[in-house]
């Protein structure tokens, strides 16, 4: 039986006594904190520790990879590939922190195939969840554990996909847009979007607003929060114009902006209302909600009237010339 063959791999090693490519170090901690906007003083100075959520960073192999210590994990994935479960998607991870990591610590780690699920049917297709557990150590001390779960699945054939509901806004000839990833941390945000409300998390301890939604506050570490509704006013903080690669649900070129809301947080969305090549940093925009089909509502950002007229005039002048 196929599932019996898969279960044989449970408990087998996926990596043995591997060594982190770099010791825990201050530059990586600084880059991480800058990228995450984390100003916790515990992560700087002579007695600094590494942010606990960097746990996996010290084990990552980079483009050159690691010399493999065991072939069990590759064999398991190969077995699934041969059976037609050729696609993979990461589903979730869990971490446990047992010891602070400090600059200079040398990391070693082992990994084990912890479980292979029974066959599961998902919206992506039918397949198996494979969970590995990594134990990260400094010398003999266990510093933390990292569980990582993937789904190896056979993607649904086009004929097997459920029929889409009635399309809206002239989208009937296009494939549906990709769906946002909704989890327990951001579900309330997307529920608000469905009701045409843009909700921002607010820490009830220190009052700091945050986006994207997180389980805890970066400023004070508090876990309690409520929400405030955004006014809908914002400006383009940064942007890119997408030309390639083409996606069937989109019409390139189009502008994607990092929008700074009047409340101070930033979020990403399409910028409409002016030609894509007239989008500029500082462009004032206003929130709108667009329904793409029966289930999908997304926030978008439209140039405010004066800016839109100016952009249209400039475009007309350019064409006239």
């Amino acid at each position: 039986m196929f599932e019996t063959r898969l279960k044989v791999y449970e408990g087998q090693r996926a990596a043995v006594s591997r060594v982190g490519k770099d010791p825990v170090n201050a530059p990586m901690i600084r880059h991480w904190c800058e990228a995450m906007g984390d100003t916790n003083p515990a992560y700087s100075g002579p007695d600094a520790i590494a942010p606990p959520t960097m746990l996996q960073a010290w084990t990552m192999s980079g483009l050159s990879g690691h010399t493999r210590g065991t072939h069990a994990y590759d064999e398991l994935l190969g077995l699934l590939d041969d059976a037609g479960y050729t696609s993979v998607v990461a589903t979730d991870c869990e971490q446990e922190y047992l010891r602070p990591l400090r600059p200079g610590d040398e990391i070693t780690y082992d990994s084990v195939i912890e479980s292979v699920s029974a066959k599961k049917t998902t919206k992506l297709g039918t397949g198996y969840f494979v969970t590995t557990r990594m134990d990260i150590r400094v010398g003999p001390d266990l510093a933390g554990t990292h569980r990582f779960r993937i789904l190896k699945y056979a993607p649904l054939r086009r004929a097997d996909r459920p029929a889409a509901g009635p399309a809206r806004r002239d989208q009937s000839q296009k494939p549906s847009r990709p769906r946002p990833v909704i989890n327990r941390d951001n579900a309330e945000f997307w529920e608000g979007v469905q009701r045409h409300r843009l909700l921002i998390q607010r820490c009830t301890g220190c009052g700091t607003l945050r986006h994207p939604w997180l389980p805890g506050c970066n400023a004070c570490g508090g876990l309690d929060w409520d929400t405030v509704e955004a006014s809908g006013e914002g400006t383009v903080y940064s942007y890119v114009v997408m030309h390639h690669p083409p996606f069937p649900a989109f019409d390139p070129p189009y502008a994607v902006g990092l929008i700074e809301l009047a409340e101070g947080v930033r979020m990403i969305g399409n910028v409409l209302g002016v030609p894509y090549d007239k989008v500029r940093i500082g462009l004032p925009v206003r929130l709108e909600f667009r329904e793409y089909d029966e289930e999908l509502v997304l926030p978008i950002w439209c140039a405010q009237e004066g800016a839109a007229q100016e952009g249209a005039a400039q475009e007309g002048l350019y064409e006239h010339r």
Side-chain angles (χ1 to χ4, degrees):
M1 184 177 177
F2 183 66
E3 290 191 8
T4 301
R5 294 175 65 192
L6 297 179
K7 288 290 184 180
V8 168
Y9 289 91
E10 290 187 343
Q12 292 196 38
R13 294 289 182 180
V16 178
S17 298
R18 288 188 182 165
V19 178
K21 287 202 166 183
D22 298 285
V24 178
N25 63 84
M28 284 182 67
I29 293 172
R30 176 170 54 82
H31 292 318
W32 175 281
C33 290
E34 288 180 355
M36 301 301 293
D38 194 338
T39 58
N40 191 321
Y43 306 145
S44 61
D47 297 319
I49 63 172
T53 48
M54 286 188 75
L55 185 66
Q56 188 190 16
W58 311 113
T59 69
M60 299 177 84
S61 60
L63 296 178
S64 59
H66 273 296
T67 301
R68 297 198 174 274
T70 173
H71 299 288
Y73 192 66
D74 288 340
E75 289 177 2
L76 171 60
L77 298 188
L79 184 62
L80 288 164
D81 285 338
D82 292 343
Y85 303 100
T86 54
S87 295
V88 62
V89 62
T91 61
D92 61 285
C93 70
E94 302 172 8
Q95 293 184 339
E96 183 178 5
Y97 314 118
L98 303 173
R99 172 199 186 280
L101 297 177
R102 295 180 169 83
D105 283 343
E106 298 278 354
I107 298 299
T108 60
Y109 59 95
D110 303 291
S111 182
V112 64
I113 302 168
E114 195 167 62
S115 65
V116 183
S117 74
K119 185 187 291 186
K120 303 290 184 181
T121 300
T122 74
K123 288 185 177 180
L124 293 175
T126 299
Y128 296 85
F129 289 94
V130 178
T131 304
T132 54
R133 188 192 76 245
M134 182 183 294
D135 295 329
I136 296 103
R137 292 182 169 81
V138 177
D141 298 331
L142 184 63
T145 61
H146 174 80
R147 282 184 174 83
F148 189 66
R149 187 172 295 109
I150 64 170
L151 172 65
K152 281 285 287 179
Y153 66 98
L156 290 173
R157 297 173 299 173
R158 187 178 298 275
D160 295 333
R161 297 182 186 275
R168 298 184 179 182
R169 297 183 183 270
D170 299 323
Q171 299 293 314
S172 57
Q173 302 304 314
K174 289 185 179 181
S176 61
R177 283 198 169 215
R179 267 44 188 168
V181 176
I182 300 176
N183 55 41
R184 61 186 179 184
D185 291 328
N186 65 15
E188 189 170 337
F189 171 80
W190 289 108
E191 290 169 4
V193 169
Q194 282 290 125
R195 302 192 303 271
H196 290 202
R197 300 179 65 208
L198 193 69
L199 301 179
I200 306 171
Q201 269 187 316
R202 177 176 60 187
C203 175
T204 56
C206 68
T208 299
L209 301 180
R210 62 181 186 261
H211 187 88
W213 283 38
L214 297 169
C217 177
N218 280 335
C220 73
L223 299 179
D224 295 325
W225 54 270
D226 58 13
T227 62
V228 296
E229 185 170 357
S231 67
E233 304 290 338
T235 57
V236 174
Y237 183 83
S238 184
Y239 69 96
V240 296
V241 175
M242 297 295 296
H243 294 269
H244 189 82
F247 295 103
F250 299 87
D251 291 321
Y254 54 92
V256 179
L258 176 61
I259 308 302
E260 185 164 72
L261 279 62
E263 292 76 13
V265 300
R266 298 170 188 158
M267 62 182 60
I268 293 173
N270 286 106
V271 181
L272 304 177
V274 293
Y276 69 88
D277 58 349
K278 301 303 178 186
V279 175
R280 295 291 182 267
I281 291 173
L283 178 73
V285 292
R286 182 162 184 82
L287 171 70
E288 291 187 10
F289 293 94
R290 181 160 295 185
E291 298 179 5
Y292 288 93
D293 56 42
E294 291 291 336
E295 298 178 349
L296 183 63
V297 179
L298 293 176
I300 62 169
W301 300 92
C302 287
Q304 296 196 32
E305 186 173 349
Q309 291 174 350
E310 180 183 352
Q314 291 176 351
E315 184 71 8
L317 179 62
Y318 175 80
E319 289 177 352
H320 177 72
R321 288 178 178 175

